[in-house]
Amino acid sequence: AQSVAQPEDQVNVAEGNPLTVKCTYSVSGNPYLFWYVQYPNRGLQFLLKYITGDNLVKGSYGFEAEFNKSQTSFHLKKPSALVSDSALYFCAVRDGGGATNKLIFGTGTLLAVQP
Amino acid sequence: ETGVTQTPRHLVMGMTNKKSLKCEQHLGHNAMYWYKQSAKKPLELMFVYSLEERVENNSVPSRFSPECPNSSHLFLHLHTLQPEDSALYLCASSQDFPAHYGYTFGSGTRLTVV
């Protein structure tokens, strides 16, 4: 069965420093991987996705993610964090089983950027 | 605005009340989903509809009753809820194919059961 793990409940980083939010996955075939962000009392917003091709994917708000097949990872990164990046981040992988395009979500990582 | 609209944004209801949550999308998607998000818990997938047919029901109590009258609308009917049902209820829509299509989420309904 497909699964995704976010090993950190919370990541703290100072404004201006680089940030990384970790994600590892498990799928039987080729993965389709996604990152979403959630601000308080809002729905999840799409940030970026990996389908195929270049292992470095660029997304919204200056975020990028690196697909590493050998380590089955898809870590989210940003070179310089902003206080406004503070939010809950979800990694997701597409579940190849079932009748629909079902995404499997991680448990989320709270990113706190200190001024 | 993401293209998926949920109403109401906030709802307070008593345990004996009956209410409904509404979700609407005009993105041309053919699949719709209900998720429950409780504090300090993972996202819980409740129901999945594809082409207006319910294709998944993840052991959700019968006090939650979904309805999908057409591909643009999804409802969650609520009755005799419990305080532990208080949560943020999220609706999402997508296309079944291509397989790499992501979800578009609504802003959610914050439900409080008193």
Side-chain angles (χ1 to χ4, degrees):
Chain A
Q2 282 78 4
S3 66
V4 62
Q6 294 181 244
E8 303 153 316
D9 289 338
Q10 183 163 336
V11 170
N12 298 307
V13 64
E15 188 174 31
N17 283 1
L19 69 88
T20 299
V21 183
K22 295 179 180 177
C23 172
T24 58
Y25 66 89
S26 174
V27 294
S28 55
N30 291 323
Y32 299 127
L33 294 154
F34 302 79
W35 276 102
Y36 285 82
V37 60
Q38 185 181 30
Y39 298 99
N41 290 311
R42 305 289 296 184
L44 280 66
Q45 297 176 32
F46 171 79
L47 271 182
L48 51 80
K49 68 180 176 183
Y50 171 81
I51 304 172
T52 186
D54 194 348
N55 288 342
L56 187 63
V57 179
K58 294 189 183 298
S60 308
Y61 313 119
F63 283 93
E64 57 190 27
E66 187 170 10
F67 172 66
N68 188 317
K69 188 172 184 178
S70 62
Q71 296 184 6
T72 61
S73 67
F74 189 56
H75 300 332
L76 181 70
K77 301 181 179 185
K78 188 173 181 180
S80 178
L82 300 173
V83 172
S84 57
D85 292 331
S86 298
L88 188 58
Y89 290 81
F90 290 93
C91 182
V93 65
R94 191 217 176 218
D95 177 7
T100 63
N101 179 12
K102 191 169 75 172
L103 289 183
I104 305 299
F105 286 89
T107 51
T109 298
L110 184 64
L111 174 65
V113 181
Q114 284 88 37
Chain B
E1 202 56 57
T2 64
V4 178
T5 303
Q6 288 188 245
T7 55
R9 290 295 309 275
H10 301 273
L11 178 62
V12 179
M13 59 186 288
M15 289 190 283
T16 58
N17 291 160
K18 289 185 180 181
K19 296 286 185 184
S20 295
L21 310 185
K22 180 182 177 182
C23 177
E24 186 173 354
Q25 61 93 5
H26 296 288
L27 301 170
H29 292 166
N30 63 4
M32 297 187 79
Y33 311 80
W34 278 117
Y35 279 87
K36 176 183 178 183
Q37 187 177 29
S38 305
K40 303 189 187 301
K41 286 188 177 181
L43 280 172
E44 299 175 46
L45 178 62
M46 300 175 73
F47 301 104
V48 179
Y49 276 82
S50 178
L51 298 172
E52 301 150 45
E53 298 279 333
R54 190 191 308 180
V55 297
E56 189 156 338
N57 174 356
N58 284 344
S59 303
V60 179
S62 59
R63 57 186 184 268
F64 295 91
S65 174
E67 178 190 2
C68 188
N70 55 61
S71 61
S72 298
H73 294 86
L74 184 65
F75 295 89
L76 188 62
H77 303 300
L78 316 170
H79 64 97
T80 59
L81 294 191
Q82 305 298 311
E84 61 264 28
D85 297 322
S86 298
L88 182 67
Y89 288 85
L90 293 168
C91 173
S93 70
S94 183
Q95 280 290 116
D96 284 344
F97 297 98
H100 56 76
Y101 213 94
Y103 288 3
T104 302
F105 282 84
S107 295
T109 295
R110 172 66 64 186
L111 174 67
T112 304
V113 181
V114 298

